């Protein structure tokens, strides 16, 4: 789905490359990549824990300060994904046991103000067994599981729903049910109790995901990768301030046909 949704931007490619890249890349190409990007002025040192700031900075300077800055400018990604001009569809048929429907929509960069409402929307739709898509798909025997995710990255990402079908259920039926639930959101059918429950669940999962120094460092580094460290500190409060009106607005703004990529996995 990512490869179909993104045609120009590097998000088109898997993080570690395609299988043929891994099988055929040369040592020279790997070294060139390393020598281009692996420099102190292109790195972030994150230290979490009960530390003495003065002594810690001395150690950072001692062990990291010995490395010189890059003798060249670090290349930046300059390619921007052109605006999508219509719905895209991809169908994959190969060996497997479960049919899957994936529905993705383009969303803005992670630092955008709409990201928090999109995160709450993902929770409301599929974040728990009491969520909308679980009730309309899993509880009715049409699917075995549902996954809904908003991907806040440095550049515009995707809002993706994956549905894992039960035997005998068609891809088309699942797609129709899913899009009907999207349409209900656009019409503003969100109760205050449903919204508050989704926000509380999301805030809890965020805090649990930060349990421990390693987990906290990971979450903070993800915010730095987005381009704004305050995304880490402000996220729980921003989630709490999301309103039903804002969710309705972002659903209408981003969950549109001409910005969508529909994927069917057909298990052979």
């Amino acid at each position: 789905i990512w490869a179909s949704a993104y045609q120009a931007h590097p998000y088109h490619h898997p993080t570690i490359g395609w299988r043929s890249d891994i099988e055929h890349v040369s040592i020279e190409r790997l070294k060139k990549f390393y020598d281009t990007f692996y420099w102190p002025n292109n790195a972030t040192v994150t230290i979490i824990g009960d530390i003495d700031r003065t002594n810690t900075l001395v150690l950072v300077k001692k062990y990291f300060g010995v490395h010189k800055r890059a003798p060249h400018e670090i290349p930046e990604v300059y390619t921007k994904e052109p605006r999508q001009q219509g719905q895209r569809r991809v169908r994959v048929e190969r060996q497997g046991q479960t049919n899957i429907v994936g529905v993705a929509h383009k969303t803005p960069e992670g630092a955008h103000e709409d990201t928090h409402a999109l995160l709450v929307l993902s929770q409301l739709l599929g974040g728990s067994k009491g969520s909308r898509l679980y009730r309309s798909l899993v509880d009715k025997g049409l699917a075995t599981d549902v996954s809904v995710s908003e991907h806040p990255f440095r550049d515009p990402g995707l809002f993706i729903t994956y549905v894992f079908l039960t035997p005998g259920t068609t891809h088309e039926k699942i797609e129709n049910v899913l899009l009907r639930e999207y349409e209900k959101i656009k019409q503003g059918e969100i109760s205050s109790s449903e919204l508050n429950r989704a926000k509380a669940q999301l805030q809890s999962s965020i805090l649990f995901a930060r349990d421990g120094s390693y987990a906290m460092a990971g979450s903070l580094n993800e915010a730095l990768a987005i381009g704004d460290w305050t995304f880490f500190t402000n996220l729980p409060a921003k989630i709490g301030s999301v309103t039903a009106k804002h969710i309705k607005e972002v659903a209408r703004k981003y969950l549109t046909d001409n910005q969508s990529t529909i994927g069917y996995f057909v298990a052979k």
Side-chain angles (χ1 to χ4, degrees), residues 1 33 72 81 85 91 98 113 115 129 160 183 214 216 227 235 242 246 264:
I1 282 184
F33 183 88
H72 55 265
E81 183 69 19
Q85 300 296 316
R91 180 185 177 97
T98 305
E113 60 183 5
T115 293
K129 292 185 177 180
I160 310 180
E183 195 60 36
Y214 180 78
M216 188 172 292
L235 184 56
V242 170
H246 195 185
Y264 284 7

Side-chain angles (χ1 to χ4, degrees), residues 53-122:
R53 181 179 177 183
T54 302
N55 291 337
T56 300
L57 291 178
V58 169
L59 292 172
V60 170
K61 184 175 182 180
K62 176 181 178 181
Y63 291 107
F64 289 89
V66 297
H67 301 287
K68 297 179 181 178
R69 291 174 57 87
H72 55 265
E73 292 293 324
I74 304 296
E76 295 282 345
V77 175
Y78 53 81
T79 301
K80 295 188 181 297
E81 183 69 19
R83 182 168 179 80
Q84 194 169 323
Q85 300 296 316
Q87 186 182 87
R88 296 171 183 165
R89 287 184 171 268
V90 58
R91 180 185 177 97
V92 175
E93 297 186 20
R94 71 181 188 197
Q95 186 175 357
Q97 295 182 344
T98 305
N99 291 328
I100 305 171
V101 170
V103 176
H105 290 82
K106 297 276 179 52
T107 52
E109 64 277 6
H112 195 280
E113 60 183 5
D114 288 340
T115 293
H116 306 99
L118 287 165
L119 287 169
V120 176
L121 175 57
S122 69

Side-chain angles (χ1 to χ4, degrees), residues 193-215:
S193 60
E194 182 182 28
L195 175 61
N196 291 335
R197 182 170 61 253
K199 292 196 293 186
Q201 290 171 340
L202 184 56
Q203 288 171 322
S204 295
S205 65
I206 290 169
L207 295 176
F208 278 119
R210 298 177 178 181
D211 185 18
S213 299
Y214 180 78

